[in-house]
């Protein structure tokens, strides 16, 4: 047999009960496990009572349970006792070790009463149960390891082994459970502290306590232990940062919140309540700039910040708990002041090379410029600039130092000084700027020669001027300064004929006034050309020249000259005139010359006493004496004519010539003809012809005037006399000018042995304004189309 099997054990129990019933009291005993299902076999009741199954009905078999429900029933057909309703041993008997239901079986015929006891056997159908599902425990963190804390254990409704409980605590580092035996019957459950508690580390421990019974299978029950660690003031307040760094704009308004500090105390209650304050070492001056709320930890700004003055503040702050024995925590608040672009750049200019010589080479350093800005970052980065289109530029030398250098050549005569505005601008937003003016003066260098306003001065001077007469003034301009612009004048020496130029004229060295040193004689000198030199006083000096053309104007200072006096044919004695001569017969010619020119040399012939002229007349301009009618004997054998020769000058000068005429019968006796005496070959007249082309501008019209300068040189002959024969026609006007273009010399032969003596050159009458020798700039003289000089 397998004794450990449930069936074997049940059969053994029935046998023992039946034996005991038979031997003892006659009571029948059965046993059945609780929680058996309806219909579970309990025992063969009829058979065990010795009753016939077939008689059960007839003998009125019945079974009575005292005070109990009908947990059991008997099958009358089989006599088997079976479970009728659910059996719960704990409900029927509680914690009683023996639990049985008494049954009384009654049969009639004969009446018999049988006592049957059915033992309800315990099964492990109840798990251990704690009084509560959650247990709260309060343990101070100051308790030491080994401390014990009683616990209420679990209960198990089962009995025997099924109610033997063991305990187990969930895995942790601090607690364990222990069963302490109080006596043989009772054991107490305790919670054992293994390690020191730290509420700040773990303020609450949640542990699961499990009770396990001894049934098979075993059942368990649990309780949640909530262990709250009670605080002790063993922790000082702690800031979440040891150093707080805050940035604050320097233009922050009063009352601006800088930071809200947060210190924590791991303790509880008053041990946790914190008060904030500045440390005792806090600078008192900073208390006027910062405030600290002791309850909230708010730090606010209440003064004025200036990044340029102080850019960083360090505040020592304490947090103290309110325990009877307070603990304190510390932190440092670093307030970094952020720059705001509230400072404009500053400029400092150091002049080096002022004034700047105008011949200074490009690259010359004029001034040093230093810039600074008290701000920082982009607010302190400064750029410098000057206006464009200046001959200067800025060169960055080192950091905030710049050099103002000459970029190109300068000319003081064009610009004598420059006002340079240097602008410094930072890179802030918005940017700020500052400016400074540098007045750069350009110093003079003798780089300009004196210059005359015109290349040629032309002046007309009437001859016979008094010595020392002012002729004209030349003026040169030098755009330089001081001694470089001080001009002195001198005449460029040359020879005029056999005399030096300085014997004719002189120039005042400072004023440029030109004077005549001696009277000028037109008959000797018609044009005087020379140069005037203008020289400055610079080192080295520079000079410039101008040409002066001095035209000597003729004055009527020479009376006509008749040669020879009283001669018509060129030999002394009367002129023979044939009586047969008709009207218009030329009997002779007056020869007269005038050393002057133009109108002053234009001669007019007339009979001084017209009433005594008789049949004769004289050509007004030719000087030829001719008959006015046929001669008669009544005219007499001879006649004298006084011829008056006058020039056209103002006042006019004159001369007289007496001509004696003899009337003869024969024409052969007449010695005068148109050919000269002394040979068959007429004299050769050499003429120096100077061609001068003057372009005159008169009232906007250009007139081309050709002036022939004639100089006659005659071969001597008995009938010919050569005078100076010099005449000049000039173009003049109050609004014009003139110039030479060409000069030529030619030889001119006139006639066959006869010198043509009626060649005339015309010269204008010059206005009285020229008598003093003054000439104005740009004046033009317009010629009079008439005038004469005779040879």
């Amino acid at each position: 047999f397998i004794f450990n099997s449930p069936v074997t054990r049940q059969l053994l129990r029935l046998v023992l009960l039946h034996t005991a019933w038979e031997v003892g009291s006659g009571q029948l005993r059965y046993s059945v496990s609780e929680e058996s299902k309806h219909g579970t076999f309990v025992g063969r009741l009829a058979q065990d009572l010795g009753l016939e199954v077939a008689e059960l009905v007839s003998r009125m078999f019945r079974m009575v349970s005292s005070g109990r429900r009908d947990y059991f029933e008997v099958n009358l057909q089989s006599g088997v006792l079976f479970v009728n309703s659910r059996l719960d041993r704990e409900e029927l008997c509680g914690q009683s070790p023996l639990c049985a239901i008494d049954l009384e079986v009654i049969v009639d015929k004969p009446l018999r009463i049988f006592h049957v006891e059915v033992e309800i056997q315990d099964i492990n159908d109840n798990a251990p149960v704690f009084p509560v599902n959650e247990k709260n425990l309060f343990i101070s963190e100051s308790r030491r390891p080994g401390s014990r804390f009683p616990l209420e254990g679990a209960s198990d409704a089962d009995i025997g082994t099924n109610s033997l409980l063991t305990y187990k605590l969930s895995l942790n580092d601090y607690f364990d459970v222990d069963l302490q035996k109080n006596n043989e019957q009772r054991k107490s459950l305790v919670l054992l502290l293994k390690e020191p508690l730290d509420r700040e580390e773990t303020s609450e421990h949640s542990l699961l306590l499990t009770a396990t019974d001894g049934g098979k299978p075993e059942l368990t029950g649990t309780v949640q232990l909530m262990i709250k660690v009670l605080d002790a003031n063993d922790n000082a307040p702690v800031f979440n940062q040891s150093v707080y760094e805050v940035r604050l704009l320097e233009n922050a308004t009063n009352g601006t919140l800088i930071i809200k500090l947060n210190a924590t105390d791991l303790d509880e209650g008053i041990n946790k309540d914190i008060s904030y304050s500045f440390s005792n070492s806090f600078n008192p001056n900073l208390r006027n700039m910062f405030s600290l709320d002791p309850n909230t930890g708010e730090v606010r700004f209440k003064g004025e910040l200036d990044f340029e003055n102080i850019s960083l503040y360090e505040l020592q702050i304490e947090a103290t708990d309110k325990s009877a024995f307070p603990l304190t925590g510390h932190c440092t608040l670093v307030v970094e002041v952020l720059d705001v672009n509230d400072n404009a750049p500053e400029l400092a200019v150091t002049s080096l090379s002022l004034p700047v010589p105008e011949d200074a080479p490009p690259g010359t350093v004029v001034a040093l410029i230093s810039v600074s800005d008290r701000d920082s970052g982009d607010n302190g980065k400064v750029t410098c600039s000057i206006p464009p289109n200046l001959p200067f530029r800025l060169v960055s030398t080192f950091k905030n130092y710049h050099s103002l250098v000459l970029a190109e050549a300068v000319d003081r005569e064009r610009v004598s000084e420059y006002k340079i505005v240097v602008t410094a601008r930072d890179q802030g937003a918005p940017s700020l700027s500052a400016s400074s003016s540098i007045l750069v003066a350009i110093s003079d260098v003798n780089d300009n020669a004196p210059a005359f306003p015109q290349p040629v001065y032309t002046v007309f001077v009437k001859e016979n001027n008094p010595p020392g007469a002012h002729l004209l003034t030349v003026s040169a301009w030098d755009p330089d300064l001081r001694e470089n612009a001080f001009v002195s004048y001198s005449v460029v020496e040359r020879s005029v004929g056999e005399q030096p130029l300085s014997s004719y004229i002189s120039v005042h060295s400072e004023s440029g006034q030109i004077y005549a040193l001696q009277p000028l004689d037109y008959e000797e000198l018609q044009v005087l050309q020379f140069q005037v030199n203008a020289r400055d006083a610079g080192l080295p000096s520079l000079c410039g020249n101008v040409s002066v053309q001095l035209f000597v104007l003729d004055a009527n200072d020479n009376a006509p000259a008749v040669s020879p006096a009283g001669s018509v044919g060129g030999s002394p004695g009367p002129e023979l005139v044939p009586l047969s001569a008709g009207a218009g017969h030329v009997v002779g010619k007056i020869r007269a010359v005038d050393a002057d020119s133009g109108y002053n040399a234009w001669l007019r012939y007339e009979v001084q006493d017209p009433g005594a002229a008789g049949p004769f007349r004289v050509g007004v301009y030719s000087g030829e004496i001719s008959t006015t009618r046929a001669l008669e004997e009544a005219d007499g054998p001879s006649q004298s004519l006084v011829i008056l020769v006058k020039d056209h000058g103002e006042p006019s000068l004159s001369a007289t010539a007496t001509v004696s005429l003899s009337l003869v019968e024969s024409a052969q006796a007449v010695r005068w003809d148109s050919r000269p005496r002394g040979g068959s070959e007429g004299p050769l007249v050499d003429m120096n012809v100077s061609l001068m082309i003057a372009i005159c501008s008169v009232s906007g019209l250009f007139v081309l005037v050709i002036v022939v300068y004639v100089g006659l040189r005659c071969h001597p002959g008995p009938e010919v006399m050569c005078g100076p024969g010099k005449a000049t026609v000039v173009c003049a006007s109050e609004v014009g000018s003139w110039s030479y273009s060409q000069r030529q010399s030619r030889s001119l032969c006139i006639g066959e042995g006869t010198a043509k003596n009626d060649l005339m050159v015309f010269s204008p009458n010059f206005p009285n304004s020229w008598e003093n020798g003054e000439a104005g700039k740009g004046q033009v003289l317009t010629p009079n189309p008439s005038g004469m000089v005779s040879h």
Side-chain angles (χ1 to χ4, degrees):
F1 296 98
I2 300 174
F3 291 97
N4 289 332
S5 65
V7 177
T8 304
R9 288 199 299 273
Q10 184 66 19
L11 291 176
L12 180 61
R13 187 180 296 113
L14 291 175
V15 170
L16 292 176
L17 286 175
H18 179 72
T19 303
W21 177 72
E22 289 289 343
V23 175
S25 60
Q27 185 177 14
L28 183 64
R29 298 178 64 88
Y30 293 102
S31 66
V32 65
S33 296
E34 64 176 330
E35 303 297 338
S36 295
K37 295 180 180 181
H38 173 75
T40 299
F41 174 80
V42 178
R44 298 181 183 276
L45 181 62
Q47 181 179 350
D48 293 336
L49 291 178
L51 299 176
E52 293 293 334
V53 175
E55 295 177 352
L56 293 178
V57 176
S58 60
R59 294 185 65 179
M60 300 293 290
F61 181 89
R62 56 190 181 275
M63 185 176 64
V64 179
S65 175
S66 59
R68 305 275 183 156
R69 291 187 305 172
D70 293 334
Y71 290 102
F72 301 96
E73 286 292 335
V74 176
N75 188 340
L76 296 178
Q77 280 76 26
S78 62
V80 173
L81 179 67
F82 62 91
V83 177
N84 182 44
S85 62
R86 173 178 174 271
L87 297 172
D88 185 356
R89 194 201 68 83
E90 290 76 26
E91 182 181 346
L92 294 175
C93 303
Q95 292 294 320
S96 174
L98 178 63
C99 182
I101 296 177
D102 292 332
L103 301 177
E104 288 185 354
V105 178
I106 301 174
V107 291
D108 293 333
K109 298 178 184 181
L111 177 64
R112 293 188 64 181
I113 297 174
F114 301 95
H115 295 280
V116 178
E117 183 181 75
V118 179
E119 180 185 6
I120 307 301
Q121 295 182 343
D122 182 51
I123 64 172
N124 194 23
D125 60 344
N126 290 282
V129 176
F130 287 95
V132 293
N133 294 327
E134 183 175 307
K135 177 70 174 178
N136 292 322
L137 298 176
F138 299 91
I139 302 175
S140 174
E141 62 177 331
S142 61
R143 298 294 293 269
R144 296 183 177 181
S147 297
R148 294 174 176 267
F149 307 96
L151 295 177
E152 187 175 359
S155 60
D156 195 324
D158 296 325
I159 60 174
T161 304
N162 294 332
S163 65
L164 293 178
L165 302 180
T166 59
Y167 295 92
K168 183 178 181 181
L169 195 61
S170 59
L171 185 62
N172 69 95
D173 295 330
Y174 297 94
F175 296 97
D176 200 357
V177 289
D178 186 25
L179 283 175
Q180 287 184 328
K181 291 183 179 182
N182 295 329
N183 50 43
E184 294 296 330
Q185 302 295 328
R186 295 180 60 85
K187 293 181 180 180
S188 61
L189 181 66
V190 295
L191 182 68
L192 178 65
L193 179 63
K194 299 189 300 181
E195 297 291 338
L197 294 176
D198 187 352
R199 192 202 64 80
E200 292 72 33
E201 179 180 347
T202 306
S203 61
E204 187 175 71
H205 298 267
S206 179
L207 304 177
L208 184 65
L209 179 60
T210 303
T212 305
D213 59 24
K216 298 295 183 180
E218 59 188 19
L219 299 178
T220 60
T222 59
V223 61
Q224 192 75 34
L225 299 181
M226 301 300 295
I227 302 174
K228 293 184 178 180
V229 182
L230 300 178
D231 181 55
N233 193 26
D234 58 347
N235 291 278
V238 177
F239 289 94
N240 53 6
Q241 294 177 221
S242 60
V243 177
Y244 294 87
E245 294 182 356
V246 180
R247 294 180 177 180
L248 186 64
L249 292 175
E250 63 175 323
N251 61 351
T253 57
N254 195 355
T256 299
L257 176 64
I258 298 176
I259 192 175
K260 184 176 182 180
L261 297 174
N262 182 26
T264 56
D265 193 319
L266 299 179
D267 298 325
E268 286 185 328
I270 61 172
N271 298 332
K272 185 178 183 179
D273 294 338
I274 295 175
S275 176
Y276 299 92
S277 63
F278 291 116
S279 67
N280 294 330
S281 61
F282 186 63
N283 188 340
N285 295 329
L286 298 182
R287 295 183 185 273
N288 298 326
M289 299 185 64
F290 300 95
S291 64
L292 174 61
D293 189 306
N295 297 320
T296 63
E298 291 182 349
V299 180
R300 293 182 181 273
F301 162 69
K302 66 175 184 177
E304 292 184 358
L305 296 175
D306 188 357
F307 170 84
E308 290 71 35
N309 187 20
I310 300 177
S311 61
L312 193 70
Y313 295 90
E314 286 191 7
L315 311 178
Q316 303 296 329
I317 297 176
E318 295 179 349
T320 304
D321 60 31
K322 297 181 179 180
S323 172
F325 302 97
L327 299 178
T328 302
H330 304 272
C331 77
T332 300
L333 174 60
V334 178
V335 179
E336 180 184 358
V337 181
L338 298 181
D339 182 48
V340 174
N341 194 24
D342 57 347
N343 291 278
E346 297 177 356
L347 292 95
V349 179
T350 303
S351 300
L352 293 181
S353 303
L354 294 180
V356 178
E358 61 180 326
D359 62 348
T364 300
V365 178
V366 177
L368 293 180
I369 302 170
S370 64
V371 295
S372 61
D373 195 315
R374 296 182 62 196
D375 296 321
S376 64
D378 290 341
N379 297 331
K381 293 180 181 178
V382 181
T383 57
C384 279
S385 63
I386 59 175
N389 304 322
L390 290 176
F392 300 92
R393 61 188 176 93
L394 284 176
V395 177
S396 179
T397 55
F398 176 74
K399 288 186 178 179
N400 290 332
Y401 291 88
H402 304 267
S403 296
L404 179 65
V405 300
L406 192 63
E408 58 187 55
V410 292
D411 186 1
R412 189 206 63 81
E413 288 71 38
R414 185 172 63 88
V415 181
S416 61
E417 66 180 15
Y418 295 88
K419 185 177 181 181
I420 304 174
V421 179
V422 181
T423 302
R425 183 176 298 277
D426 59 32
Q427 298 181 13
S431 63
L432 299 178
S433 64
S435 60
S436 178
S437 296
I438 305 174
L439 190 63
V440 180
I442 307 300
S443 61
D444 185 52
V445 173
N446 193 26
D447 58 346
N448 291 278
F452 291 90
Q454 59 195 68
V456 177
Y457 283 89
T458 301
V459 62
F460 299 88
V461 180
K462 213 165 191 180
E463 64 176 332
N464 302 320
N465 56 279
H470 177 243
L471 301 180
L472 78 157
T473 300
V474 294
S475 178
W477 178 69
D478 193 321
D480 296 323
L481 290 178
R482 294 180 291 277
E483 65 276 1
N484 296 331
F486 182 77
V487 179
S488 60
Y489 302 92
S490 63
V491 174
V492 178
E493 188 63 81
R494 72 177 183 86
S495 296
V496 180
E498 296 180 355
Q499 295 185 14
L501 176 65
S502 58
S503 65
Y504 286 91
I505 60 169
S506 69
V507 60
H508 192 276
S509 62
E510 295 183 4
S511 65
Q513 294 178 339
I514 300 176
Y515 299 93
L517 298 180
Q518 62 180 352
L520 299 176
D521 188 358
Y522 173 81
E523 287 71 36
E524 291 183 2
L525 183 67
Q526 287 80 41
V527 180
L528 180 61
Q529 292 187 355
F530 58 92
Q531 285 190 328
V532 177
N533 175 269
R535 182 177 297 275
D536 60 31
L539 291 175
S541 62
L542 301 177
C543 63
N545 293 337
V546 68
S547 295
V548 179
Q549 292 180 336
L550 179 63
F551 289 90
V552 181
L553 302 179
D554 182 48
N556 194 24
D557 59 347
N558 292 281
V562 180
S563 65
S567 173
V568 177
S571 60
E575 292 289 340
L576 302 179
V577 180
L579 290 174
S580 60
H585 179 77
V586 177
V587 298
K589 184 172 185 176
I590 298 299
R591 294 176 176 86
V593 293
D594 194 318
D596 295 323
S597 177
Y599 283 99
N600 297 330
W602 183 17
L603 301 182
R604 176 184 177 86
Y605 302 86
E606 58 186 37
V607 179
Q608 188 175 26
D609 185 4
F616 298 97
R617 64 180 175 86
V618 63
V620 177
Y621 295 111
S622 65
E624 291 181 343
I625 301 173
S626 60
T627 60
T628 59
R629 58 178 172 78
L631 298 179
E632 301 173 355
E633 289 184 2
D635 293 329
S638 65
Q639 192 170 351
S640 293
L641 298 177
V642 178
I643 306 301
L644 180 65
V645 183
K646 297 192 302 181
D647 58 28
H648 282 72
E650 292 182 359
S652 66
L653 301 179
S654 63
T656 60
T658 302
V659 178
S660 297
L661 300 175
S662 296
L663 279 65
V664 297
E665 294 288 342
S666 175
Q668 287 81 10
V670 181
R671 296 174 57 196
W672 185 93
D673 61 12
S674 60
R675 291 175 296 181
R677 315 291 182 178
S680 61
E681 184 176 356
L684 178 63
V685 180
D686 289 339
M687 301 183 66
N688 289 328
V689 181
S690 296
L691 179 61
M692 293 175 285
I693 301 177
I695 300 176
C696 302
S697 174
V698 181
S699 300
L701 299 177
F702 291 96
V703 179
L704 180 63
V705 179
I706 302 178
V707 180
V708 180
Y709 174 87
V710 182
L712 300 180
R713 186 180 66 211
C714 302
H715 292 284
E719 302 294 335
V720 178
M721 181 176 180
C722 295
K726 296 180 181 179
T728 303
V729 173
V730 297
C731 177
S733 170
E734 294 182 355
V735 293
S737 62
W738 65 276
S739 63
Y740 292 108
S741 63
Q742 185 177 5
R743 174 166 290 184
Q744 296 179 349
S745 295
R746 296 183 181 177
S747 295
L748 179 63
C749 181
I750 303 176
E752 295 181 357
T754 302
K756 187 68 174 177
N757 56 4
D758 59 355
L759 178 65
M760 292 181 291
V761 180
F762 294 93
S763 177
N765 282 327
F766 294 98
N768 293 331
S769 61
W770 295 98
E771 292 180 356
N772 57 2
E774 295 290 343
K777 178 181 178 182
Q779 290 181 332
V780 176
L781 299 181
T782 305
N784 193 308
S786 63
M788 178 188 71
V789 63
S790 64
H791 182 277

